[in-house]
Amino acid sequence: MTEPAPDAESNPESDTESPADTRAGSVSDTATLGPEERVIPTWTEPLARSASAPVGGPLGVHAAIGRHWFWTPLRVALMIAIIGLAVSWFGKAACVQQFYNEDAKQLELDWRSNRPFTAMCYSDIIPLYSAEQLDKGGFPYKTSWFDDEGKPTQHERWMEYPVLTGLFQWVNAKLTDGWLRIAADGWLPTGLAVTVFFDISAFWLALAWLVTIWAVTRTARRRPWDAALIAASPLVLVHAFTNFDTLATACAATALLAWARKRPVLAGVLLGIGGAAKLYPLFLLGALLVLCLRAGRMRAFYSTAGAALLTWAVVNLPIALLYPRGWWEFFYRNSLRGADPDSLYNVVSQFTGWQGFDGPLAFDQTPTWLNAVSAVLFLACCAGIAFVALHAPVRPRVAQLGFLIVAAFLVTNKVWSPQYSLWLVPLAILAVPRWRILLGWMALDALVWAPRMMFYLGDDKKGLPIDWFLSFVVLRDLAVVGLCALIIYEIYHPTRDLVRLGGEDDPAGGFLDGAPDRYVLKVNRRLVEEPVA
């Protein structure tokens, strides 16, 4: 690989603006964009055009745009999101209903008749309150307990979530204690501690999703109405409060916004914080690496990657030093997990009778071969994505590669918890803003929840057989792979990319937006240096 000339990279903080930066970088609010600068969904999206019929049809050619004193695209999207999040909360609320147990003479959660599955309201947040010993008041990673106590499978446990997610749960448990103390004096409504814990957690998770929408709207620039699809996503209706994943989506989305605004250190800090909550935001560094390599903007990448890794270390190091065994639990438990029901490995196993790469495993035995195969497949996909990024005729956009990497991880990983699909939603909106296609995928992905719950109910309780559930899993995976194929097609045919069709290069590109290529992978698969325009 030929080294660039000494002046090939300028300081990231002082790079000259590209034409795209001059055009859109100074716009502080998409409400100020005129009709010639903003994409109008009712003109370009058949789905939006049809949906506008009850309110008068598509926007008129002579309509005034961006002059309403309040209803900007962002505020409309946030309003839709608040309605969607409220619906999502009501969907989970059936699992925090209470009843008075006459035998035990106390209030209890009403999980009789398998309510979490029959009402499809299951949320990890509810059982984790006691399962992670949060109701006991101990500090995560320091406090341990025994599962299956008194049984041959008895084993010691610690908090099994990454540091920030574990601390998030602990803080909410402390807020729950404070709420109940104040409620005991009659100042606040009260209920079971786990109900209060769920509601407090849901409030912060909803706020994180609103931050995600805000960041995507600001990043999309000329396409602010695309954020409405995030707000109304069927996946949010089902999974906003299934686990704690909106914390990570907020970090990843704001990191992309910071990168788009040419703030590489801030972007790295946000990625590091997100990586301390869920690992997936750190995968976006892979997209930035190959794109910065192609554009000769490696100094910006080093700033972001260094800040991300330093932030992740600063968050994790105190816990790792003080409570090393508790800190390691997340990694240890993940290494022990077998193929989850939602994984393709389990699909193949169930449909063929195959016993897996490791065969039958004893309790607490690590699936070594499964771990290795899933890691190798993911790395192979990343290598293929890097090839596409360096070989394509036009440099791909950041969101396109980000979606491909995260999707590759989910498809090849041995675990695809249903709420993980939320990771893809903001990236999908930025990568391939085709409303009908995205809505179809999100609806199908959300529908996996129904056969999943019915499968967990069990055949003896009139639940669905596993074949129904696995069939939906396969359809979900095929839909995600189809989106990846569409993105790769648009990468190689940039004139079909709706974002570039509007005259932009890469709204989330930051230093990459409008930058000339420096290194391109030619047909002979060698990296060669391109002349600087």
Side-chain angles (χ1 to χ4, degrees), residues 96 180 378 453 483 503:
V96 289
L180 292 176
F378 176 53
M453 292 291 97
L483 283 176

Side-chain angles (χ1 to χ4, degrees), residues 74-136:
L74 173 60
R75 288 170 181 164
V76 172
L78 293 177
M79 181 195 69
I80 296 172
I82 290 171
I83 295 172
L85 290 166
V87 172
S88 182
W89 182 88
F90 278 110
K92 302 297 186 184
C95 279
V96 289
Q97 290 185 14
Q98 305 165 162
F99 80 104
Y100 188 78
N101 188 328
E102 294 289 350
D103 296 331
K105 304 299 181 184
Q106 63 181 11
L107 278 176
E108 295 179 1
L109 282 181
D110 189 0
W111 279 25
R112 296 171 295 179
S113 303
N114 297 284
R115 179 185 289 268
F117 308 127
T118 56
M120 301 184 193
C121 60
Y122 176 81
S123 168
D124 287 334
I125 300 171
I126 299 169
L128 284 175
Y129 182 63
S130 56
E132 300 287 359
Q133 304 293 297
L134 297 166
D135 57 337
K136 302 295 192 299

Side-chain angles (χ1 to χ4, degrees), residues 7-349:
D7 62 345
E9 291 187 19
S10 57
N11 189 318
E13 304 295 343
S14 60
D15 275 350
T16 57
E17 290 187 338
S18 68
D21 299 324
T22 305
R23 178 180 64 249
S26 61
V27 176
S28 59
D29 191 334
T30 54
T32 64
L33 294 177
E36 72 284 354
E37 298 172 293
R38 180 192 294 173
V39 175
I40 308 300
T42 56
W43 295 355
T44 60
E45 282 292 337
L47 179 63
R49 187 182 305 118
S50 301
S52 69
V55 292
L59 188 73
V61 176
H62 300 291
I65 297 177
R67 296 184 183 179
H68 196 280
W69 69 275
F70 185 79
W71 288 118
T72 64
L74 173 60
R75 288 170 181 164
V76 172
L78 293 177
M79 181 195 69
I80 296 172
I82 290 171
I83 295 172
L85 290 166
V87 172
S88 182
W89 182 88
F90 278 110
K92 302 297 186 184
C95 279
V96 289
Q97 290 185 14
Q98 305 165 162
F99 80 104
Y100 188 78
N101 188 328
E102 294 289 350
D103 296 331
K105 304 299 181 184
Q106 63 181 11
L107 278 176
E108 295 179 1
L109 282 181
D110 189 0
W111 279 25
R112 296 171 295 179
S113 303
N114 297 284
R115 179 185 289 268
F117 308 127
T118 56
M120 301 184 193
C121 60
Y122 176 81
S123 168
D124 287 334
I125 300 171
I126 299 169
L128 284 175
Y129 182 63
S130 56
E132 300 287 359
Q133 304 293 297
L134 297 166
D135 57 337
K136 302 295 192 299
F139 185 76
Y141 311 105
K142 177 183 178 181
T143 304
S144 67
W145 64 94
F146 288 95
D147 274 358
D148 299 338
E149 195 166 1
K151 300 179 181 178
T153 55
Q154 175 177 311
H155 56 285
E156 194 170 10
R157 292 288 306 277
W158 287 263
M159 167 67 72
E160 62 172 311
Y161 279 82
V163 168
L164 272 189
T165 303
L167 294 179
F168 174 78
Q169 296 176 65
W170 177 71
V171 169
N172 288 338
K174 291 301 180 184
L175 291 175
T176 298
D177 294 340
W179 180 287
L180 292 176
R181 282 195 295 269
I182 298 174
D185 297 328
W187 292 96
L188 292 171
T190 188
L192 288 174
V194 65
T195 300
V196 177
F197 174 76
F198 173 79
D199 288 341
I200 291 174
S201 300
F203 172 80
W204 298 118
L205 294 171
L207 187 60
W209 192 250
L210 296 179
V211 170
T212 303
I213 293 171
W214 169 80
V216 171
T217 304
R218 290 290 185 259
T219 304
R221 291 201 311 221
R222 294 182 68 253
R223 304 184 60 94
W225 285 106
D226 289 343
L229 202 57
I230 304 179
S233 170
L235 282 168
V236 178
L237 299 180
V238 177
H239 294 309
F241 308 122
T242 297
N243 203 277
F244 306 100
D245 293 74
T246 63
L247 301 175
T249 64
C251 291
T254 51
L256 285 177
L257 175 60
W259 177 265
R261 297 290 175 87
K262 294 189 175 181
R263 297 180 180 176
V265 174
L266 177 58
V269 169
L270 291 168
L271 287 176
I273 294 173
K278 296 274 183 176
L279 288 179
Y280 101 89
L282 295 177
F283 295 160
L284 298 180
L285 290 174
L288 296 179
L289 170 61
V290 290
L291 294 176
C292 286
L293 175 62
R294 175 163 177 163
R297 292 290 193 269
M298 291 303 295
R299 188 173 298 176
F301 170 76
Y302 293 146
S303 298
T304 300
L309 297 178
L310 180 61
T311 301
W312 184 88
V314 166
V315 173
N316 280 268
L317 197 58
I319 302 297
L321 292 177
L322 291 173
Y323 316 113
R325 182 60 188 86
W327 175 80
W328 182 249
E329 181 78 351
F330 165 70
F331 303 96
Y332 175 66
R333 285 292 154 194
N334 274 280
S335 69
L336 281 181
R337 293 182 72 167
D340 256 26
D342 296 73
S343 70
L344 286 178
Y345 307 102
N346 182 61
V347 170
V348 174
S349 177

